[in-house]
Amino acid sequence: MGEMEQMKKEAEALKTQIEAARKAVHDTDMASAAAGVAPAPQVQLKTRKTLKGHLAKIYAMHWSTDNRLMVSASQDGKLLIWDSHSGNKVNAVPLKSSWVMTCAYAPSGNLVASGGLDNMCTVYNLKTPVIKTVKELDAHTGYLSCARFLSDTEILTSSGDTTCALWDLETGKQKTVFLNHVGDCMCLSLSPDMNSFVSGACDSLAKLWDVRDGQCKQTFQGHTSDINAISFIPSGNAIITGSDDCTCKMYDIRADQEVICYQDAALNSGVTSLALSTSGRLIFAGYDDFNCNIWDSLKGEKVGVLSGHDNRVSCTGVPEDGMCVCTGSWDSFLKIWN
Amino acid sequence: MARDMSDKEILKMELDQLKVEVNTPRIAVSTTAPEIIAFVEGLSAEDPLVKGVPEDKNPFKEKGGCIIT
């Protein structure tokens, strides 16, 4: 008992020191620094395509690096691969478990992955004459919330068991386990240089990790509820998070702190998903209130809304060429906007 | 996994992490923010969702209708 009290005291002292160090460098914030920047134009995007085919709530979607194909996952028990230009379904992958929460497209276009309440990440080869399961990655002791391929041989996962993991796809084993969160991990985002990644969790924290040495390098506080969505900005110097506390935030990695908060008194729905336009200027954030709000990342103002879904927006994604934004919803549809 | 850990183990993990993070170098926001702004602004001019996608170059545009040549 004495030992724990001692540790708590030590921890409090360190937290105070860290807060002081952050405050010492907080000589301005993003909105003030961007005061001279011309406001982003009011953004009015139209629905160009509505992709119909899933029979139940859509939980996730991910663009292929070819900017044309995308994969979506629904609790109807299917992954669908879409040609976004024609609106046609190119492939359907039946899932062993219909309780899917995430899907991912490998950068090569050869593989897709899915996972969910089965606690597993299943990897499929799209290029064999018939789509085959190539690996079932089974070691997490909680649900699979997010997966992202680094290549055809490595994938990162985040889990309800509070850990993230880097897997070797040739052996099917975990190479590295990232343990530091104390709540379910809900989302992850790889840095542009692929040397680090960030995770968001139900402990309201975002953490920055070194992919290779497994160490947690930095922890970002400020949210007051689960972080459901996270993304690096294109320069890799900051991250954007979206939370059940109804706000999004930008954390500056080199200043080690929050520099702007995207919030509106009228918004009292949680953020489920987010995606950035190619420059990072626009944040497309999906909310429980069926809308996707568009934020100016530098000035913190809302510059548009994507309205059209009849249920929660559960996922958003912008392809690498930035030519559109895709929203997926519990209403079972995906919409492409630009 | 944090779920299998005792309160003491969790506290130790948090304390060890704080000992690492207390040494994180932190750069003034007045230095880091302008760099982020410059990077984003530099790319905004070519950002299709900021500047708009011309109808004739829009791969998602609904096709169909008559073309009179």
Short mmCIF file of all heavy atoms in Angstrom, two decimals, chain A residues 136-171:
data_model
loop_
_atom_site.label_atom_id
_atom_site.label_comp_id
_atom_site.label_asym_id
_atom_site.label_seq_id
_atom_site.Cartn_x
_atom_site.Cartn_y
_atom_site.Cartn_z
N GLU A 136 -5.10 -15.76 -40.89
CA GLU A 136 -5.98 -15.32 -39.81
C GLU A 136 -5.07 -14.95 -38.65
O GLU A 136 -4.39 -15.81 -38.10
CB GLU A 136 -6.95 -16.44 -39.42
CG GLU A 136 -8.07 -16.62 -40.45
CD GLU A 136 -9.03 -17.74 -40.12
OE1 GLU A 136 -8.63 -18.67 -39.39
OE2 GLU A 136 -10.17 -17.70 -40.61
N LEU A 137 -5.01 -13.67 -38.33
CA LEU A 137 -4.08 -13.20 -37.30
C LEU A 137 -4.83 -13.22 -35.97
O LEU A 137 -5.72 -12.42 -35.72
CB LEU A 137 -3.61 -11.78 -37.65
CG LEU A 137 -3.02 -11.65 -39.05
CD1 LEU A 137 -2.70 -10.19 -39.37
CD2 LEU A 137 -1.79 -12.52 -39.22
N ASP A 138 -4.45 -14.19 -35.15
CA ASP A 138 -5.24 -14.50 -33.97
C ASP A 138 -4.37 -14.44 -32.73
O ASP A 138 -3.63 -15.37 -32.46
CB ASP A 138 -5.79 -15.92 -34.17
CG ASP A 138 -6.83 -16.28 -33.12
OD1 ASP A 138 -7.18 -15.42 -32.29
OD2 ASP A 138 -7.30 -17.43 -33.15
N ALA A 139 -4.38 -13.32 -32.03
CA ALA A 139 -3.64 -13.22 -30.76
C ALA A 139 -4.23 -12.15 -29.86
O ALA A 139 -4.05 -12.18 -28.65
CB ALA A 139 -2.16 -12.92 -31.00
N HIS A 140 -4.95 -11.20 -30.46
CA HIS A 140 -5.61 -10.19 -29.63
C HIS A 140 -6.65 -10.87 -28.75
O HIS A 140 -7.27 -11.85 -29.14
CB HIS A 140 -6.28 -9.12 -30.50
CG HIS A 140 -5.35 -8.07 -31.01
ND1 HIS A 140 -4.59 -7.28 -30.18
CD2 HIS A 140 -5.06 -7.68 -32.27
CE1 HIS A 140 -3.87 -6.45 -30.92
NE2 HIS A 140 -4.13 -6.66 -32.19
N THR A 141 -6.85 -10.31 -27.54
CA THR A 141 -7.86 -10.86 -26.63
C THR A 141 -9.05 -9.93 -26.52
O THR A 141 -9.85 -10.02 -25.58
CB THR A 141 -7.25 -11.09 -25.23
OG1 THR A 141 -6.69 -9.85 -24.78
CG2 THR A 141 -6.17 -12.15 -25.27
N GLY A 142 -9.15 -9.02 -27.49
CA GLY A 142 -10.30 -8.12 -27.54
C GLY A 142 -10.60 -7.83 -29.00
O GLY A 142 -9.84 -8.25 -29.90
N TYR A 143 -11.68 -7.10 -29.27
CA TYR A 143 -12.11 -6.87 -30.66
C TYR A 143 -11.05 -6.11 -31.46
O TYR A 143 -10.24 -5.37 -30.90
CB TYR A 143 -13.45 -6.12 -30.70
CG TYR A 143 -13.47 -4.78 -30.00
CD1 TYR A 143 -13.00 -3.63 -30.62
CD2 TYR A 143 -14.01 -4.67 -28.71
CE1 TYR A 143 -13.04 -2.41 -29.96
CE2 TYR A 143 -14.06 -3.45 -28.06
CZ TYR A 143 -13.57 -2.32 -28.69
OH TYR A 143 -13.62 -1.11 -28.04
N LEU A 144 -11.10 -6.33 -32.77
CA LEU A 144 -10.20 -5.63 -33.68
C LEU A 144 -10.91 -4.35 -34.12
O LEU A 144 -11.93 -4.40 -34.78
CB LEU A 144 -9.91 -6.50 -34.89
CG LEU A 144 -8.58 -6.08 -35.51
CD1 LEU A 144 -7.45 -6.79 -34.77
CD2 LEU A 144 -8.53 -6.43 -36.97
N SER A 145 -10.37 -3.18 -33.75
CA SER A 145 -11.03 -1.92 -34.07
C SER A 145 -10.49 -1.29 -35.35
O SER A 145 -11.21 -0.55 -36.02
CB SER A 145 -10.86 -0.93 -32.92
OG SER A 145 -9.50 -0.86 -32.56
N CYS A 146 -9.22 -1.54 -35.68
CA CYS A 146 -8.62 -0.93 -36.86
C CYS A 146 -7.44 -1.75 -37.35
O CYS A 146 -6.75 -2.39 -36.52
CB CYS A 146 -8.15 0.49 -36.54
SG CYS A 146 -7.70 1.43 -38.01
N ALA A 147 -7.23 -1.78 -38.65
CA ALA A 147 -6.07 -2.45 -39.24
C ALA A 147 -5.54 -1.60 -40.37
O ALA A 147 -6.31 -0.98 -41.11
CB ALA A 147 -6.48 -3.82 -39.78
N ARG A 148 -4.20 -1.54 -40.52
CA ARG A 148 -3.59 -0.81 -41.64
C ARG A 148 -2.35 -1.56 -42.08
O ARG A 148 -1.48 -1.88 -41.27
CB ARG A 148 -3.20 0.61 -41.23
CG ARG A 148 -4.39 1.58 -41.09
CD ARG A 148 -5.04 1.85 -42.43
NE ARG A 148 -6.21 2.72 -42.35
CZ ARG A 148 -7.47 2.28 -42.41
NH1 ARG A 148 -7.75 0.99 -42.51
NH2 ARG A 148 -8.48 3.14 -42.35
N PHE A 149 -2.28 -1.86 -43.42
CA PHE A 149 -1.12 -2.53 -43.99
C PHE A 149 0.05 -1.55 -44.11
O PHE A 149 -0.14 -0.42 -44.55
CB PHE A 149 -1.43 -3.01 -45.41
CG PHE A 149 -2.34 -4.20 -45.49
CD1 PHE A 149 -3.71 -4.03 -45.59
CD2 PHE A 149 -1.82 -5.49 -45.50
CE1 PHE A 149 -4.57 -5.12 -45.69
CE2 PHE A 149 -2.66 -6.59 -45.61
CZ PHE A 149 -4.04 -6.41 -45.70
N LEU A 150 1.25 -2.00 -43.75
CA LEU A 150 2.44 -1.23 -44.09
C LEU A 150 2.91 -1.67 -45.47
O LEU A 150 3.50 -0.90 -46.22
CB LEU A 150 3.57 -1.47 -43.07
CG LEU A 150 3.44 -0.70 -41.76
CD1 LEU A 150 2.44 -1.36 -40.84
CD2 LEU A 150 4.79 -0.61 -41.07
N SER A 151 2.69 -2.95 -45.79
CA SER A 151 3.12 -3.55 -47.05
C SER A 151 2.37 -4.88 -47.16
O SER A 151 1.52 -5.17 -46.32
CB SER A 151 4.62 -3.82 -47.00
OG SER A 151 4.89 -4.82 -46.03
N ASP A 152 2.75 -5.71 -48.15
CA ASP A 152 2.11 -7.03 -48.24
C ASP A 152 2.64 -7.98 -47.17
O ASP A 152 2.14 -9.11 -47.06
CB ASP A 152 2.36 -7.65 -49.63
CG ASP A 152 1.41 -7.08 -50.68
OD1 ASP A 152 0.61 -6.18 -50.35
OD2 ASP A 152 1.47 -7.54 -51.83
N THR A 153 3.65 -7.56 -46.40
CA THR A 153 4.20 -8.46 -45.39
C THR A 153 4.03 -7.98 -43.96
O THR A 153 4.39 -8.70 -43.03
CB THR A 153 5.70 -8.72 -45.64
OG1 THR A 153 6.36 -7.45 -45.69
CG2 THR A 153 5.93 -9.47 -46.93
N GLU A 154 3.49 -6.79 -43.76
CA GLU A 154 3.30 -6.30 -42.39
C GLU A 154 2.00 -5.55 -42.26
O GLU A 154 1.62 -4.79 -43.15
CB GLU A 154 4.42 -5.33 -42.02
CG GLU A 154 5.75 -5.98 -41.76
CD GLU A 154 6.80 -4.96 -41.33
OE1 GLU A 154 6.90 -3.91 -41.98
OE2 GLU A 154 7.47 -5.21 -40.32
N ILE A 155 1.33 -5.74 -41.13
CA ILE A 155 0.08 -5.02 -40.87
C ILE A 155 0.05 -4.60 -39.41
O ILE A 155 0.57 -5.29 -38.53
CB ILE A 155 -1.14 -5.90 -41.25
CG1 ILE A 155 -2.43 -5.06 -41.29
CG2 ILE A 155 -1.31 -7.08 -40.28
CD1 ILE A 155 -3.62 -5.79 -41.93
N LEU A 156 -0.52 -3.42 -39.15
CA LEU A 156 -0.69 -2.90 -37.80
C LEU A 156 -2.15 -3.05 -37.40
O LEU A 156 -3.03 -2.75 -38.23
CB LEU A 156 -0.38 -1.40 -37.77
CG LEU A 156 1.00 -0.94 -37.35
CD1 LEU A 156 1.10 0.55 -37.58
CD2 LEU A 156 1.28 -1.28 -35.91
N THR A 157 -2.40 -3.44 -36.17
CA THR A 157 -3.79 -3.55 -35.71
C THR A 157 -3.95 -2.83 -34.38
O THR A 157 -3.00 -2.67 -33.62
CB THR A 157 -4.19 -5.02 -35.49
OG1 THR A 157 -3.26 -5.62 -34.58
CG2 THR A 157 -4.20 -5.80 -36.79
N SER A 158 -5.19 -2.39 -34.10
CA SER A 158 -5.51 -1.84 -32.78
C SER A 158 -6.68 -2.66 -32.23
O SER A 158 -7.50 -3.16 -33.01
CB SER A 158 -5.90 -0.36 -32.87
OG SER A 158 -7.05 -0.19 -33.66
N SER A 159 -6.72 -2.81 -30.90
CA SER A 159 -7.70 -3.75 -30.34
C SER A 159 -8.35 -3.26 -29.05
O SER A 159 -7.78 -2.47 -28.30
CB SER A 159 -7.00 -5.09 -30.08
OG SER A 159 -7.83 -5.96 -29.32
N GLY A 160 -9.53 -3.81 -28.81
CA GLY A 160 -10.25 -3.58 -27.56
C GLY A 160 -9.52 -4.18 -26.36
O GLY A 160 -9.88 -3.89 -25.21
N ASP A 161 -8.46 -4.95 -26.61
CA ASP A 161 -7.68 -5.49 -25.49
C ASP A 161 -6.66 -4.47 -24.98
O ASP A 161 -5.81 -4.80 -24.16
CB ASP A 161 -6.99 -6.83 -25.87
CG ASP A 161 -5.87 -6.68 -26.89
OD1 ASP A 161 -5.44 -5.54 -27.18
OD2 ASP A 161 -5.41 -7.70 -27.41
N THR A 162 -6.73 -3.23 -25.46
CA THR A 162 -5.90 -2.06 -25.10
C THR A 162 -4.53 -2.03 -25.77
O THR A 162 -3.75 -1.10 -25.52
CB THR A 162 -5.67 -1.86 -23.56
OG1 THR A 162 -4.69 -2.82 -23.10
CG2 THR A 162 -6.94 -1.99 -22.77
N THR A 163 -4.24 -3.04 -26.61
CA THR A 163 -2.94 -3.01 -27.28
C THR A 163 -3.08 -2.75 -28.77
O THR A 163 -4.16 -2.90 -29.35
CB THR A 163 -2.18 -4.35 -27.13
OG1 THR A 163 -2.85 -5.33 -27.94
CG2 THR A 163 -2.14 -4.81 -25.68
N CYS A 164 -1.96 -2.38 -29.37
CA CYS A 164 -1.83 -2.40 -30.82
C CYS A 164 -0.76 -3.44 -31.12
O CYS A 164 0.02 -3.81 -30.21
CB CYS A 164 -1.39 -1.03 -31.36
SG CYS A 164 -2.59 0.26 -31.03
N ALA A 165 -0.71 -3.92 -32.35
CA ALA A 165 0.29 -4.94 -32.67
C ALA A 165 0.75 -4.79 -34.10
O ALA A 165 -0.02 -4.39 -34.98
CB ALA A 165 -0.29 -6.33 -32.44
N LEU A 166 2.03 -5.14 -34.32
CA LEU A 166 2.60 -5.21 -35.67
C LEU A 166 2.77 -6.68 -35.98
O LEU A 166 3.40 -7.40 -35.21
CB LEU A 166 3.96 -4.50 -35.72
CG LEU A 166 4.70 -4.59 -37.05
CD1 LEU A 166 3.97 -3.78 -38.13
CD2 LEU A 166 6.15 -4.07 -36.90
N TRP A 167 2.22 -7.15 -37.08
CA TRP A 167 2.22 -8.57 -37.44
C TRP A 167 3.09 -8.81 -38.65
O TRP A 167 3.14 -8.00 -39.59
CB TRP A 167 0.81 -9.02 -37.80
CG TRP A 167 -0.22 -8.80 -36.76
CD1 TRP A 167 -0.83 -7.62 -36.44
CD2 TRP A 167 -0.81 -9.78 -35.92
NE1 TRP A 167 -1.76 -7.80 -35.46
CE2 TRP A 167 -1.78 -9.13 -35.12
CE3 TRP A 167 -0.64 -11.17 -35.76
CZ2 TRP A 167 -2.55 -9.80 -34.17
CZ3 TRP A 167 -1.43 -11.83 -34.83
CH2 TRP A 167 -2.37 -11.15 -34.04
N ASP A 168 3.71 -9.98 -38.67
CA ASP A 168 4.43 -10.48 -39.83
C ASP A 168 3.43 -11.34 -40.60
O ASP A 168 2.94 -12.34 -40.09
CB ASP A 168 5.63 -11.32 -39.35
CG ASP A 168 6.43 -11.90 -40.48
OD1 ASP A 168 5.86 -12.20 -41.56
OD2 ASP A 168 7.64 -12.09 -40.31
N LEU A 169 3.13 -10.93 -41.83
CA LEU A 169 2.11 -11.66 -42.58
C LEU A 169 2.63 -12.97 -43.16
O LEU A 169 1.84 -13.78 -43.63
CB LEU A 169 1.53 -10.77 -43.68
CG LEU A 169 0.62 -9.66 -43.16
CD1 LEU A 169 0.17 -8.75 -44.29
CD2 LEU A 169 -0.59 -10.24 -42.46
N GLU A 170 3.94 -13.17 -43.14
CA GLU A 170 4.44 -14.45 -43.64
C GLU A 170 4.29 -15.53 -42.57
O GLU A 170 3.88 -16.65 -42.85
CB GLU A 170 5.90 -14.30 -44.11
CG GLU A 170 5.94 -13.68 -45.50
CD GLU A 170 7.27 -13.02 -45.86
OE1 GLU A 170 8.11 -12.81 -44.96
OE2 GLU A 170 7.44 -12.70 -47.05
N THR A 171 4.56 -15.16 -41.30
CA THR A 171 4.43 -16.14 -40.22
C THR A 171 3.06 -16.09 -39.54
O THR A 171 2.67 -17.02 -38.85
CB THR A 171 5.48 -15.89 -39.13
OG1 THR A 171 5.24 -14.57 -38.60
CG2 THR A 171 6.90 -15.95 -39.70
#
